[in-house]
Amino acid sequence: MDVVVVGAGTFGASLAWLLARAGERVTLVDQFEPGDRRATSGGETRLIRCSHGEDADYTAMARRARTLWRELEAESGAELMVECGVAWFAHGEDGWEAASQRAMEAQGIPCERLDVAEGARLFPSFRGDDLAFVLLEPEAGVVRAQRAVQALARQAAAHGATIIRGKAQPPSRGSDPLEVEVNPQPPSTGSDPLEVEVNPQPPSTGSDPLEVEGDVVVWACGGWLAGLFPGLVRLAVTRQELLFVDGGPAWAEPGVPGWVDYDHAMYGTADLDGLGVKAALDVEGPPLDPDAELHDAATTEPQVRAYLRTRFPALERAPLNEARACRYELSPDSHFIAAPHPEHDGVWLVGGGSGHGFKHGPAMAERLIAAVTGREPLPARFGLGQRVPARSMRTAGSGVRD
Ligand SMILES: Cc1cc2nc3c(=O)[nH]c(=O)nc-3n(C[C@H](O)[C@H](O)[C@H](O)COP(=O)(O)OP(=O)(O)OC[C@H]3O[C@@H](n4cnc5c(N)ncnc54)[C@H](O)[C@@H]3O)c2cc1C
């Protein structure tokens, strides 16, 4: 099978890796270097966790993805996962966290319900008088996102995939949808070079478009997907912020878990790789065109500081190291998109990561391969039809409950 994958984020690069590893012929096209920060899969870290409320399917997929990330680490030699655990701050006895615990226990995934005093011992500074309990996933943690995407692309290339840096055009009326026109792009400046052969080599501007052809073409284009396929895909692309504060050495000790406050739409990590303690407001930000520049600014600092004061008092006045902007591409119900194009046989659309897609990349790719080869269909909820807004798989977002 010849497969063209457009988009080298977590979904596309994972697909390229698994297909190439299985001996298929793969061409992976991206307008940027894999891991570029303008893609949603750029940036240093992403949480990997199995908790998804009562949703058994995402729970199992996250667990499977963990195994595949480990395989990628073994294959590539890159250290991609930090198994520091993830702690969930439960405001009620029977909310998202209790449902997550039931779903994980049913699948034999380790998790522990801690009382608030036990939960407090996980962190250098903690206040939990508003909490019912803390749910700890000891085998969850953090994936080094940019490095992981680069490792996926590198390993895809090592298994024979061709990587092209170029901007692909969606099929136009009358053209063959399995022939993709690609306009070569100049080298991007937003990330380290991949250190694998990227075509055209050396990259140039103004070159003639390339034609790449496959039996299957997968468009895994993140925030660009809705613009490429208007009328088929609905996504809200929003500006989000990550804040990194200097918490001192205690927060850089191994074993301080990542954390999520689902109901209050906040999450973060300890100080990993010297970046500082990460804390982010997860309310959906203002709309941002996928091609617009990402301006780094700490507009959410007041809300983040207010949260730190109530949860991790020692961090309230911790100096701000950095604020980073990035994009979400949100489907209306926070479920992913993975479906065949309704008019073009062999063309598939994939995306809608909705702020929680990174971790799932390789496991989604595995399921997509099963669907494309007719072995197992994807869940109907990943389809292209109408979506009804639903409880978010990320945090409560702007639908904050208290
Ligand atoms: C701040 C932030 C925090 C997050 N936290 C988490 C987390 O903790 N855990 C988690 O699991 N997930 C998290 N996510 C979500 C996760 O990062 C995304 O769901 C995931 O990275 C989306 O991957 P993707 O492959 O769909 O898109 P992308 O990574 O955007 O990849 C799409 C690629 O397609 C390319 N492309 C688009 N159009 C074209 C074209 N015409 N021609 C060529 N190339 C094209 C783009 O250049 C891009 O590289 C977070 C996201 C953000 C922004």
Side-chain angles (χ1 to χ4, degrees):
M1 182 166 64
D2 269 301
V3 184
V4 177
V5 182
V6 183
T10 189
F11 290 147
S14 294
L15 188 60
W17 171 52
L18 290 180
L19 284 167
R21 191 170 81 160
E24 307 295 352
R25 285 177 303 276
V26 179
T27 306
L28 177 62
V29 181
D30 202 293
Q31 59 192 342
F32 307 138
E33 293 267 1
D36 187 288
R37 63 166 297 205
R38 289 167 287 185
T40 315
S41 303
E44 278 82 4
T45 59
R46 295 286 185 269
L47 291 176
I48 175 162
R49 40 86 183 182
C50 290
S51 287
H52 285 83
E54 65 193 11
D55 197 298
D57 188 53
Y58 284 113
T59 302
M61 183 155 63
R63 188 68 177 170
R64 174 66 186 149
R66 175 178 173 273
T67 302
L68 292 169
W69 288 121
R70 286 291 188 217
E71 285 180 20
L72 179 67
E73 282 186 315
E75 221 186 73
S76 66
E79 279 183 40
L80 304 175
M81 278 181 46
V82 182
E83 210 168 86
C84 51
V86 169
W88 294 79
F89 304 146
H91 291 266
E93 284 297 336
D94 202 19
W96 167 273
E97 298 76 16
S100 297
Q101 183 180 2
R102 287 193 295 274
M104 287 190 286
E105 283 174 353
Q107 296 184 27
I109 298 170
C111 60
E112 297 163 38
R113 183 186 282 233
L114 307 178
D115 65 32
V116 174
E118 289 170 316
R121 285 197 281 276
L122 300 170
F123 297 96
S125 151
F126 189 79
R127 215 169 91 192
D129 39 15
D130 57 334
L131 299 181
F133 66 95
V134 172
L135 181 68
L136 177 67
E137 286 186 60
E139 294 186 358
V142 172
V143 189
R144 294 187 173 97
Q146 185 187 60
R147 272 195 233 174
V149 166
Q150 292 176 337
L152 287 167
R154 250 198 317 270
Q155 289 314 116
H159 290 294
T162 301
I163 302 189
I164 295 179
R165 187 182 306 122
K167 192 161 187 163
Q169 306 298 325
S172 55
R173 194 175 291 275
S175 71
D176 182 344
L178 298 177
E179 275 176 18
V180 180
E181 186 179 303
V182 179
N183 293 305
Q185 297 293 299
S188 48
T189 51
S191 66
D192 300 333
L194 190 59
E195 291 164 7
V196 299
E197 189 167 323
V198 174
N199 295 310
Q201 189 73 277
S204 56
T205 39
S207 326
D208 291 337
L210 312 167
E211 289 283 345
V212 289
E213 196 178 344
D215 310 307
V216 173
V217 177
V218 179
W219 295 81
C221 294
W224 289 265
L225 193 65
L228 291 167
F229 296 94
L232 288 181
V233 174
R234 251 183 71 211
L235 291 172
V237 181
T238 61
R239 179 185 181 282
Q240 305 298 137
E241 267 178 25
L242 300 168
L243 266 54
F244 295 88
V245 300
D246 181 356
W251 285 87
E253 288 291 319
V256 181
W259 54 272
V260 186
D261 190 325
Y262 183 94
D263 290 340
H264 285 203
M266 294 286 311
Y267 68 94
T269 69
D271 181 350
L272 288 172
D273 302 332
L275 297 165
V277 177
K278 173 161 121 179
L281 175 69
D282 199 43
V283 166
E284 296 80 359
L288 183 66
D289 188 277
D291 286 318
E293 219 172 299
L294 280 168
H295 290 290
D296 293 327
T299 61
T300 54
E301 191 173 358
Q303 293 100 311
V304 171
R305 293 264 180 215
Y307 186 81
L308 293 177
R309 182 170 60 241
T310 56
R311 185 68 63 231
F312 308 115
L315 292 178
E316 185 196 351
R317 289 181 215 290
L320 182 68
N321 283 352
E322 203 175 350
R324 287 282 190 96
C326 54
R327 283 184 193 85
Y328 277 164
E329 63 290 317
L330 300 161
S331 69
D333 57 5
S334 84
H335 294 313
F336 303 150
I337 295 166
H341 191 292
E343 289 157 21
H344 301 314
D345 281 350
V347 175
W348 289 72
L349 311 184
V350 176
S354 303
H356 70 110
F358 193 91
K359 70 184 86 49
H360 294 285
M364 266 296 281
E366 205 172 52
R367 297 176 80 176
L368 191 62
I369 293 168
V372 167
T373 52
R375 277 185 286 121
E376 197 177 342
L378 286 159
R381 67 182 178 179
F382 293 166
L384 298 178
Q386 275 296 64
R387 302 264 179 118
V388 179
R391 183 172 217 203
S392 163
M393 289 292 134
R394 198 175 77 247
T395 69
S398 51
V400 177
R401 284 169 287 271
D402 206 2

